[in-house]
């Protein structure tokens, strides 16, 4: 992995962590997702799982030199990313208390 691409992945994952922690602790969601997200805590958990998947893939791309282990690590990171997306979906489609007062 190129250094600039790895740095971009780590920065993106760090932004997911910050946004996920803000959603879990304060119920804050970025402005372009506020209309769609009905459960901010669940949305924040999904963002944390996505960030973990990105960190996992960056770790295996930079640290592991064995091609077989690198491939399995990348596959595991992709599975973690998919799990994060699966956690994010119910946060958008389940009815929650965010729109109850409107």
């Amino acid at each position: 992995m190129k250094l600039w691409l790895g740095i971009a992945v780590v920065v993106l994952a760090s932004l997911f962590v910050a946004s996920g922690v803000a959603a879990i602790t304060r119920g804050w969601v970025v402005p372009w997702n506020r209309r769609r997200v009905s459960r901010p805590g669940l949305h924040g958990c999904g963002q944390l799982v996505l960030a973990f998947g990105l960190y996992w893939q960056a770790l295996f791309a930079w640290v592991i030199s064995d091609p077989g282990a690198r491939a399995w690590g990348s596959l595991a990171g992709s599975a973690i990313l998919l799990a994060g997306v699966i956690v994010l979906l119910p946060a958008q489609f389940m009815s929650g208390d965010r729109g109850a007062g409107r």
Side-chain angles (χ1 to χ4, degrees):
M1 176 184 283
K2 301 282 187 188
L3 182 62
W4 64 269
L5 182 61
I7 291 172
V9 167
V10 169
V11 167
L12 180 67
S14 299
L15 291 173
F16 274 129
V17 167
S19 180
V21 168
I24 291 172
T25 59
R26 302 285 185 201
W28 183 85
V29 180
V30 292
W32 52 86
N33 278 345
R34 285 187 188 150
R35 185 180 301 167
R36 291 185 298 236
V37 173
S38 59
R39 296 191 182 265
L42 187 60
H43 186 75
C45 289
Q47 287 183 326
L48 291 178
V49 172
L50 278 171
F52 181 72
L54 285 173
Y55 283 137
W56 186 268
Q57 286 189 340
L59 172 79
F60 272 87
W62 279 342
V63 177
I64 306 299
S65 61
D66 180 34
R70 185 180 285 184
W72 281 105
S74 178
L75 183 65
S78 297
I80 295 169
L81 285 170
L82 181 63
V85 170
I86 290 172
V87 172
L88 281 174
L89 287 176
Q92 293 184 3
F93 295 122
M94 293 174 60
S95 63
D97 57 354
R98 184 166 278 252
R102 295 180 193 171

